[in-house]
């Protein structure tokens, strides 16, 4: 080969002389999935803590709903839990898109009603009362100022 090719470089004539058969590539056993796995950083799974509520009505903060998502309460009388405002919930999801969602679970461990009420801009769809049972709601971002909680 010509002496003017830099160390490690491949000359055009060398590439033209190289014959690679499809069978040789298949023998490498590289799958599309393996290539995709190497090229994409996997999402981290966020650890979440359960929020133990006191025996009182409460406002569930955007951070608690987004970061924890599971609430427990043992009421001695009927209680109302109110979501944070839609604006605060949206602000807690900095890269949200309309349609972004997360789940909220409330576990009521006593035979008294616990009602989920919506803060400003929040709509509750479906049964909002749980009694000695758990309830799951899917919170969906509808706009920068509106969030809907759907009972699952």
């Amino acid at each position: 080969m010509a002496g003017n090719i830099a160390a490690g470089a491949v000359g055009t004539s060398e590439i033209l002389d190289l014959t690679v058969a499809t069978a040789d590539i298949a023998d490498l056993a590289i799958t599309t999935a393996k290539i995709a796995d190497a090229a994409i950083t996997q999402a981290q799974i966020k650890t979440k803590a359960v929020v133990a509520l006191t025996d009182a009505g409460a406002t569930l903060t955007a951070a608690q709903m987004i970061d924890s998502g599971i609430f427990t309460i043992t009421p001695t009388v009927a209680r109302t839990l109110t979501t944070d405002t839609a604006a605060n919930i949206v602000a807690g999801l900095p890269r949200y898109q309309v349609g972004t969602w997360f789940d909220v679970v409330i576990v009521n461990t006593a035979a008294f009603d616990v009602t989920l009420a919506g803060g400003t801009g929040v709509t509750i769809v479906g049964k909002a009362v749980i009694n000695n049972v758990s309830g799951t709601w899917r919170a969906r971002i509808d706009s920068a100022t509106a969030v809907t909680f759907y009972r699952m």
Side-chain angles (χ1 to χ4, degrees):
M1 248 308 100
N4 61 355
I5 297 175
V10 177
T12 304
S13 61
E14 290 175 304
I15 292 173
L16 294 176
D17 290 341
L18 183 62
T19 303
V20 178
T22 305
D24 293 336
I25 294 172
D27 287 343
L28 293 175
I30 297 174
T31 65
T32 304
K34 288 180 183 177
I35 292 170
D37 287 346
I40 299 172
T41 302
Q42 298 296 318
Q44 296 292 326
I45 296 174
K46 188 174 189 176
T47 59
K48 297 185 174 202
V50 174
V51 177
L53 299 170
T54 61
D55 181 17
T59 296
L60 309 178
T61 69
Q64 288 173 323
M65 289 186 290
I66 294 165
D67 294 338
S68 296
I70 300 174
F71 299 87
T72 61
I73 186 169
T74 305
T76 56
V77 296
R79 301 291 183 194
T80 298
L81 303 176
T82 305
T83 71
D84 207 334
T85 66
N88 287 344
I89 293 169
V90 170
L93 297 165
R95 290 182 298 277
Y96 85 94
Q97 298 176 17
V98 170
T100 298
W101 58 267
F102 59 91
D103 290 341
V104 173
V105 177
I106 300 172
V107 181
N108 176 356
T109 60
F112 295 96
D113 288 350
V114 171
T115 302
L116 181 64
T120 302
V122 175
T123 302
I124 307 294
V125 174
K127 189 173 181 179
V129 179
I130 57 174
N131 184 306
N132 205 27
V133 71
S134 62
T136 302
W137 288 265
R138 178 152 295 161
R140 181 186 183 275
I141 308 303
D142 299 322
S143 72
T145 58
V147 176
T148 301
F149 279 66
Y150 295 92
R151 178 73 185 264
M152 304 291 287

